[in-house]
Amino acid sequence: LELDAQYHVQRAVADGHPQIRATEGNGKVVVSASRFEGLLNPAGWIERVMADGGITGNRQTATGTDHFSAARAEFAMLPQRNLIKDMTATGGVTAETQQGGDSHHLKTDALRITFSGSAQPGQSADKQHIESAETLAPATIESLTSTDTTTLHAKKIVAQLGPNGHLDKLLGHGNVEVSRQVPKTAPQVISAAELAATFGAHGQWETLDESGDVRFQQADRQATAARASIVRATDIITLDGSPVVS
């Protein structure tokens, strides 16, 4: 511990692979790293937390598991609340979510996650939820379900989550490529400048809307257009804006 001139703790450091364990709602969370460092306000609340070296985080609930890893992470805290405002992770960032037979895997070199604030001061951290997540470097997301495998790659990916923590919308910006593999069929590959995907309550995407130099290919079938929409339930692709099919 490091004290200021008034003997208030202003810096705390934990070395030797420390662990943080917490109960979050109906789940358990374990976070570990080679080193944790916390900066405290003279009033006693935490201003910032830094974690370095082999960071891993695991969350276990009745509905599934989450796993996170990175080389470094920095947490900015809400003033006077000891609640997380946002987290920026860098260095080989991976995140995995599994619910039932479905899973999602994210890989990138930098990621920022923004958290909601509690409704009232004094409420516990389990009242928080992730509001959004954005990659700060090119990223790949692979989603596996019992019916298909979908892989998304883009220069930047932004995820928007609802109050229940479920993924509502996913945006891809720059050199977007979506590859979808359904058993016993040729893979579908579609590229564009921009992507907007919506998701259902069970975590599977429902619609994909792409725009800007859209190119679609499946086996020997090709198509180009200014915009394209895919509906998962019907597996129908709608092309708009000077479509060309060959």
Side-chain angles (χ1 to χ4, degrees), residues 24 26 59 61-66 97-100 102 104 114 116 128-133 158-170 197-206:
E24 181 185 275
N26 63 349
R59 179 174 178 264
T61 68
T63 58
T65 60
D66 302 318
T97 299
Q98 290 189 328
Q99 289 186 329
D102 298 345
H104 304 281
T114 302
S116 69
Q128 284 192 291
H129 64 272
I130 296 175
E131 286 188 337
S132 65
V158 179
Q160 300 172 356
L161 289 82
N164 56 7
H166 291 159
L167 179 61
D168 286 341
K169 195 171 187 178
L170 194 69
T198 61
F199 288 76
H202 298 292
Q204 296 184 354
W205 67 268
E206 294 183 336

Side-chain angles (χ1 to χ4, degrees), residues 147-151 178-182 185-190 205 208 218 230-233 235-236:
T147 58
D148 64 5
T149 299
T150 304
T151 303
V178 178
S179 175
R180 185 186 181 206
Q181 178 68 66
V182 178
T185 64
Q188 300 173 348
V189 180
I190 185 167
W205 67 268
L208 298 178
Q218 184 178 30
I230 305 176
V231 178
R232 184 191 187 95
D235 203 23
I236 292 177

Side-chain angles (χ1 to χ4, degrees), residues 98-117:
Q98 290 189 328
Q99 289 186 329
D102 298 345
S103 64
H104 304 281
H105 307 263
L106 165 70
K107 292 183 179 181
T108 185
D109 279 331
L111 175 71
R112 178 184 294 125
I113 298 176
T114 302
F115 294 81
S116 69

Side-chain angles (χ1 to χ4, degrees), residues 22-26 29 59 77-78 81-85 115-130 163:
T23 300
E24 181 185 275
N26 63 349
V29 179
R59 179 174 178 264
M77 310 297 286
L78 290 170
R81 306 286 289 280
N82 281 342
L83 298 176
I84 301 173
K85 177 183 177 183
F115 294 81
S116 69
S118 298
Q120 298 292 335
Q123 286 187 327
S124 61
D126 62 7
K127 300 296 182 181
Q128 284 192 291
H129 64 272
I130 296 175

Side-chain angles (χ1 to χ4, degrees), residues 18-21 28-33 36 51 53-60 65-71 73 75 87 89 93-97:
Q19 288 189 345
I20 298 174
R21 297 178 179 270
K28 295 181 179 180
V29 179
V30 179
V31 180
S32 63
F36 286 105
I55 302 167
T56 61
N58 293 283
R59 179 174 178 264
Q60 180 77 51
T65 60
D66 302 318
H67 177 75
F68 172 84
S69 64
F75 301 83
M87 179 198 76
V93 181
T94 64
E96 301 176 10
T97 299

